[in-house]
Amino acid sequence: MAHDDSGSAEANRFSDAPISRRGFVRLSAATAGAIALPGEAVARLDAPRSTDRHRFVAEHTEEGYAVPTLVRAGSDALETLEGIDGIDRTTTEPEPAAYGRLTAGTIEEINAVEGVERLEYSPGANPWWRLDAYPQGVFPEPEASVDHVGFEEHVRGMEHLADEHADRLRFFSIGDSPGHENRHEGEDQPKPIHVAELTNDVDDRTAFREKETVTFVASIHGDERTGVEAGSRLIERTLADEEPELDALLDEVALVFVYANPDGWVAREPIYGSDRPAFQRTTATGVDPARQCPTAGWIDPNHDPAEPDGANLTDDQPDEIDDDVPDRIAERVPDTLSIVEHLRTYENANYLVDLHGMQWSDEFVLGLVPDAQYDHEALHDVDAMNRSIEEAIAGELGTVEENVDALSRGAERYDAVRDETAHEIPAVEGMLPDRWYDWGTIHDALGYGTTGGLIAWAAHPEEFGGLGARSIGLEIAFGNTIASTDEEYASELVGLQVRAYTASIRTVADHAASEATAWIETGDRSTAVVHAEARTRSSADLAFAETTDEEACRTVTVDAGGFAEEVAVDEGAWELSITANPREDVALEATLLDPNGDFVRTHRPTDERDGPDWTIGRPEPGTWTIRLEDFGPNADTGGGAVELCTDALVAESEGVPNPRDVVGYAQRDYEATPFEYFESYAEHARVERGGASSPFDTLSVEEVRDGALRREGDAAYDDVVVIHDEGDDAYVEELSAFVEAGGSLLLTDGGVSLLEGLDDGLADSVASDRRAFAALDEKRDHPLLEGTRSIQDELWTVAPLGYATDEEAPVTLVEREAFEAAGGTVGAAMEREGEGEGESASGVAVGSLSHGDGEINVIGSLLPTARQSHLHPFGVLDHSTTMLGHALVTNALGHRRRRSVDES
């Protein structure tokens, strides 16, 4: 859909419709056929003592649903209630009451008991929260809880804690969610997005601004509950003086908890969800809120980047969302707009942790390092933070073997689909983790990449709209499932998850309070980087084409018989984006076929994400086909709903897509060059700690050709770095002479292609390729990989540099046989184009080669030039080098990475 400068639609396809766009989105996001209208009860109850809300829940859920119920009764009725099936707790303080999860038959039985006064719908962890009674704490420990913490329970409990501890806890709302329809009351009900600030003298805002702010985003995916469960309990424990180590930090550290997705939270309640209630990953508009942040680099046009500064990217209303935010954004992601705007108000928002849940994994918890531009100090700070989390979780939980029973409860959740899906799901013992923790990029840990991610946005520099924070995501095993087939509360599993995340939160807070120094120890080595102006990219280079945005979203029903959707792609299409978000009980398999009928993409039900999120650059014109199939437990009895969105961008003239036409935002000005990496590197390079800076020069191609690399026949530098293929034969001859004279040459990205001119034995053995991710497929013991970890494979992350995850990441590889024949040693390899699945990776991506008296080191994909052909309204970054990529560079240059903590 096209937008004018104000963000309003030029051609609004809803203008003549009897339903608003927001209403259409909400209905599209709903489970097809599952939502009953008010009055359309599944069953009718004889329950005069039930409140209207309690009766509605009982009458509008499937047979056998057990309603969490608080029974207010006279004390004489408690003995009778204790003998009724489903009642498992009673109390006399502050008034006589009973609690249980009750079926329709039991509800009618209790209504007939003399002395019963009222039955109330009461979801939550503490059975007595509606009585404002907290005998086991506001949020009881998981083992004492009757269920997950409920939304209303949480709000009342946090307000109670804030009243009791006004000097240390501030609890408030920063905005609203899109909001589900309240089926009982027949109206939309947006829910407040709450923030809890925990620190000493919390209302002293001057002191607050000076403190280190550590933000924890809790359960941004509504079906991943551990963030809320752990964070809220830790707040209560701290206020109760049960966390002395954390409490000791609160003079200098402020902890901020953001409760990010109330829609996904309340979706489990039948009043807001369906007759088969379940937590929901998305918000009420069907949006994945963890993909909507205004990040630099490639933006998927199916996403809704929530930039609160509005269409012109200028903050016209400080501390408020600007009026010129595009209409589509304001309607679909008001929650993300509020979160981004609020977090920007903190002065020292230097650390952020996004608390998620995953399926099963070899690790109980995985740390995700964001797609970001981190310098040496930030990379090592994030790495040190992860190492501390690893140690803290192990110290908290003991050994994996000691916790097998609790972990098995998570694996047993898959019993309902283990034998019914066409894809193999491991047996219980095959799902159990081998170790507590590991960390890497999102691709390293989960095997995919994202755009618009919260942790990436938080990590981006402030001039690109980010927080400039050291951010990570945490994923905890059994924190969600393939489909919502078993939401039974497993107290021992939740207890283990809460302890792991509690240890992580403590650790990050302590880490933020520590003082550390990081530097690169170079010894007496000198380095030169060969510069090339052609590798700079600028917003001034962009020529925008008139762009049409052919977007379509609808909810389809998918069963075991499958569903096929055809998408017509016109000539001139820049990209085709496809997302499929399954709703309840759908274990979705998706495949994408091009106009020739060839398979292009596949998504399996066991993938870590709920559904596919695909982008195809420059798609072939013709009819593309999307096939969807459900392997969930209800596939043979009607199937489930999937929200399917397709978006084809077509440029009607030469140029690149105009972000104003597609997402309603102006283009941010930028200038990006990968050489900024070396400027930052040089700032951290020291001969020794506290010593002088190491020599680090920049040379042009012309200076190299004119002999700058040699002095009286000897190498003028210890190391020379070339990341491009600029220059003529005379220039390459000088590089060769430098190495022959004893110098060390590092070639990355396009610079690897110079090998053909440097060594006759490698003629015609170097080839450029494109991959979805710049990740290694095979690694060996090698000096260049010293100090790296087995999980680390990704050299740089694609989205911040404008590359879509669509076989676009440039790599330059050397044929393995020729490289080894020339005397090279292989450190790592990648599969080359055309290789069969499972074949040994044959393209050398990391390796070393002797040449004369010197050495050539190769890193086949690192520090590429930014790509400008996709939507990137918020600019592109200079580089997105990972810790692995950085380690390869420092090892190749003979440097050592250093970090020390001031223990004083």
Side-chain angles (χ1 to χ4, degrees):
M1 180 178 296
H3 298 269
D4 63 20
D5 288 354
S6 68
S8 62
E10 290 178 349
N12 188 343
R13 61 179 178 271
F14 293 94
S15 59
D16 298 323
I19 185 171
S20 70
R21 175 165 50 185
R22 180 172 178 175
F24 174 82
V25 169
R26 178 172 292 105
L27 291 176
S28 297
T31 301
I35 293 184
L37 296 175
E40 294 181 353
V42 174
R44 295 291 183 184
L45 299 184
D46 180 16
R49 292 181 177 85
S50 290
T51 63
D52 289 345
R53 193 178 188 190
H54 183 263
R55 182 198 297 270
F56 181 91
V57 172
E59 291 184 341
H60 289 76
T61 46
E62 62 185 0
E63 184 179 357
Y65 179 77
V67 182
T69 304
L70 176 74
V71 183
R72 297 179 188 260
S75 56
D76 293 343
L78 290 186
E79 184 175 350
T80 302
L81 291 174
E82 288 174 348
I84 293 178
D85 186 37
I87 295 292
D88 58 17
R89 304 193 186 196
T90 61
T91 187
T92 58
E93 295 294 336
E95 63 180 80
Y99 172 85
R101 302 184 72 86
L102 309 179
T103 62
T106 306
I107 290 170
E108 291 186 338
E109 181 182 355
I110 290 175
N111 265 264
V113 173
E114 185 177 354
V116 168
E117 299 171 0
R118 188 164 72 249
L119 281 72
E120 300 177 17
Y121 175 57
S122 183
N126 172 10
W128 315 123
W129 69 269
R130 285 199 177 277
L131 306 177
D132 292 322
Y134 305 110
Q136 294 177 294
V138 174
F139 306 112
E141 292 303 311
E143 292 77 8
S145 298
V146 296
D147 202 347
H148 294 283
V149 175
F151 177 76
E152 290 181 73
E153 172 195 27
H154 184 262
V155 173
R156 184 181 294 186
M158 293 298 291
E159 289 175 343
H160 170 83
L161 290 172
D163 288 343
E164 292 290 314
H165 303 276
D167 59 329
R168 291 198 289 170
L169 180 65
R170 184 169 173 249
F171 184 69
F172 56 97
S173 171
I174 59 171
D176 290 330
S177 69
H180 290 288
E181 179 190 19
N182 183 318
R183 298 198 294 152
H184 179 219
E185 299 178 9
E187 61 181 26
D188 293 346
Q189 283 193 349
K191 296 297 180 185
I193 300 158
H194 284 104
V195 169
E197 295 176 346
L198 178 66
T199 192
N200 289 339
D201 301 318
V202 70
D203 286 328
D204 184 344
R205 304 315 287 178
T206 300
F208 189 102
R209 284 190 291 271
E210 295 174 354
K211 294 182 179 183
E212 193 78 44
T213 303
V214 187
T215 302
F216 300 93
V217 180
S219 304
I220 194 170
H221 288 147
D223 59 348
E224 300 169 7
R225 303 308 312 156
T226 311
V228 167
E229 300 283 336
S232 300
R233 287 183 170 90
L234 182 60
I235 290 172
E236 183 178 6
R237 286 178 55 83
T238 305
L239 295 173
D241 299 325
E242 296 173 2
E243 291 285 339
E245 293 181 5
L246 187 59
D247 188 61
L249 301 175
L250 297 185
D251 280 336
E252 53 186 316
V253 173
L255 306 186
V256 174
F257 295 83
V258 180
Y259 298 95
N261 186 358
D263 284 356
W265 193 345
V266 303
R268 193 188 188 200
E269 299 181 23
I271 293 169
Y272 301 103
S274 71
D275 298 334
R276 188 180 295 111
F279 293 121
Q280 179 176 295
R281 177 184 180 91
T282 60
T283 67
T285 49
V287 165
D288 183 337
R291 302 289 186 271
Q292 316 306 324
C293 287
T295 52
W298 162 59
I299 292 291
D300 188 328
N302 265 331
H303 294 181
D304 302 286
E307 174 47 75
D309 288 350
N312 61 4
L313 307 184
T314 300
D315 190 5
D316 303 317
Q317 299 167 237
D319 300 329
E320 293 182 27
I321 297 169
D322 283 6
D323 292 335
D324 64 338
V325 168
D327 289 347
R328 170 190 169 97
I329 305 299
E331 292 165 1
R332 287 177 65 90
V333 289
D335 46 343
T336 310
L337 284 168
S338 297
I339 291 169
V340 170
E341 177 68 27
H342 179 72
L343 291 183
R344 284 177 177 169
T345 66
Y346 292 118
E347 294 287 332
N348 297 305
N350 294 328
Y351 291 89
L352 181 143
V353 181
D354 194 7
L355 300 167
H356 286 265
M358 59 180 171
Q359 296 178 24
W360 68 91
S361 171
D362 289 339
E363 300 79 15
F364 187 52
V365 182
L366 279 169
L368 311 181
V369 180
D371 299 353
Q373 179 174 311
Y374 277 154
D375 63 13
H376 172 82
E377 184 173 8
L379 280 171
H380 276 266
D381 196 36
V382 170
D383 194 63
M385 181 164 56
N386 277 292
R387 292 180 188 277
S388 297
I389 292 172
E390 178 182 36
E391 181 178 341
I393 292 177
E396 174 69 29
L397 302 184
T399 67
V400 173
E401 290 74 17
E402 292 170 339
N403 293 276
V404 166
D405 289 345
L407 293 169
S408 295
R409 290 302 308 274
E412 290 163 2
R413 287 179 170 174
Y414 291 83
D415 286 347
V417 294
R418 184 172 276 111
D419 299 327
E420 297 189 30
T421 177
H423 293 273
E424 182 178 353
I425 295 178
V428 168
E429 57 273 17
M431 283 187 171
L432 303 183
D434 300 323
R435 51 193 173 274
W436 289 129
Y437 194 72
D438 208 346
W439 68 97
T441 67
I442 296 172
H443 180 267
D444 288 339
L446 301 178
Y448 62 85
T450 63
T451 171
L454 176 70
I455 59 174
W457 164 75
H460 286 351
E462 292 185 47
E463 60 266 29
F464 281 85
L467 300 179
R470 282 83 187 271
S471 66
I472 60 171
L474 294 182
E475 298 271 3
I476 198 161
F478 310 121
N480 62 21
T481 58
I482 287 178
S484 300
T485 57
D486 182 5
E487 299 240 354
E488 180 183 357
Y489 179 73
S491 61
E492 60 270 53
L493 173 64
V494 175
L496 197 67
Q497 293 169 326
V498 165
R499 288 171 62 199
Y501 267 9
T502 298
S504 302
I505 294 169
R506 288 192 203 105
T507 300
V508 174
D510 181 67
H511 180 88
S514 64
E515 296 289 338
T517 303
W519 72 100
I520 301 168
E521 187 177 282
T522 63
D524 58 358
R525 299 186 69 85
S526 58
T527 306
V529 177
V530 183
H531 197 268
E533 289 293 340
R535 293 301 181 251
T536 298
R537 296 291 181 265
S538 170
S539 55
D541 302 333
L542 297 172
F544 292 123
E546 184 177 351
T547 309
T548 57
D549 181 13
E550 299 174 358
E551 179 194 14
C553 287
R554 67 188 184 106
T555 298
V556 300
T557 300
V558 181
D559 57 21
F563 173 88
E565 177 90 342
E566 293 185 344
V567 181
V569 175
D570 296 335
E571 294 280 353
W574 275 94
E575 63 187 48
L576 172 65
S577 296
I578 298 165
T579 60
N581 293 317
R583 301 300 175 198
E584 303 167 3
D585 298 329
V586 176
L588 183 68
E589 177 175 283
T591 55
L592 177 65
L593 285 73
D594 67 16
N596 300 316
D598 296 328
F599 283 90
V600 179
R601 295 280 190 279
T602 300
H603 171 90
R604 302 167 301 168
T606 51
D607 287 350
E608 296 293 346
R609 293 170 293 178
D610 277 359
D613 199 350
W614 295 323
T615 296
I616 310 300
R618 290 292 190 171
E620 182 179 349
T623 300
W624 291 66
T625 303
I626 306 157
R627 292 180 181 170
L628 306 176
E629 189 170 356
D630 181 15
F631 290 99
N634 302 306
D636 294 323
T637 57
V642 176
E643 186 192 33
L644 179 63
C645 292
T646 62
D647 199 336
L649 299 185
V650 178
E652 299 180 357
S653 60
E654 292 298 321
V656 297
N658 191 333
R660 276 200 182 274
D661 294 337
V662 182
V663 290
Y665 293 109
Q667 177 67 56
R668 174 172 283 138
D669 292 336
Y670 65 88
E671 184 171 276
T673 171
F675 292 104
E676 195 281 334
Y677 169 83
F678 295 105
E679 293 182 18
S680 172
Y681 191 108
E683 291 174 1
H684 293 89
R686 299 287 184 271
V687 174
E688 58 185 12
R689 182 181 184 184
S693 298
S694 177
F696 218 95
D697 293 343
T698 297
L699 299 176
S700 67
V701 170
E702 291 74 17
E703 287 174 316
V704 171
R705 188 176 53 214
D706 292 340
L709 297 185
R710 289 184 294 158
R711 294 192 187 99
E712 299 179 356
D714 295 328
Y717 297 91
D718 294 291
D719 301 282
V720 170
V721 182
V722 179
I723 68 171
H724 56 83
D725 57 0
E726 304 293 323
D728 53 18
D729 291 344
Y731 159 75
V732 175
E733 289 174 4
E734 284 296 322
L735 291 175
S736 180
F738 162 76
V739 180
E740 289 175 346
S744 177
L745 177 64
L746 171 59
L747 302 175
T748 80
D749 198 59
V752 176
S753 64
L754 300 180
L755 272 178
E756 292 180 344
L758 289 168
D759 192 304
D760 291 338
L762 296 175
D764 301 322
S765 65
V766 181
S768 295
D769 201 357
R770 298 274 175 173
R771 294 166 55 94
F773 299 96
L776 305 174
D777 296 310
E778 177 189 339
K779 293 185 290 188
R780 300 179 175 182
D781 288 336
H782 193 279
L784 290 179
L785 290 163
E786 183 180 352
T788 64
R789 296 176 301 106
S790 60
I791 196 174
Q792 295 175 311
D793 291 320
E794 196 170 19
L795 302 171
W796 56 277
T797 55
V798 297
L801 301 191
Y803 294 88
T805 54
D806 177 42
E807 308 296 332
E808 291 189 346
V811 298
T812 306
L813 304 175
V814 188
E815 200 278 323
R816 183 197 298 262
E817 185 176 349
F819 191 78
E820 292 179 329
T825 59
V826 179
M830 295 182 183
E831 294 177 359
R832 302 184 69 176
E833 186 177 6
E835 291 177 342
E837 184 177 352
E839 293 183 12
S840 176
S842 61
V844 178
V846 177
S848 301
L849 179 70
S850 295
H851 185 76
D853 292 333
E855 184 179 53
I856 301 172
N857 292 305
V858 170
I859 306 175
S861 180
L862 193 65
L863 299 168
T865 305
R867 187 178 178 89
Q868 296 177 284
S869 59
H870 291 294
L871 283 174
H872 58 284
F874 311 111
V876 294
L877 301 184
D878 295 299
H879 69 87
S880 54
T881 307
T882 66
M883 177 57 98
L884 174 62
H886 185 58
L888 290 173
V889 172
T890 55
N891 288 340
L893 298 179
H895 300 164
R896 304 188 70 178
R897 303 179 305 282
R898 298 295 195 188
R899 183 179 186 275
S900 69
V901 178
D902 185 354
E903 301 292 349
S904 62

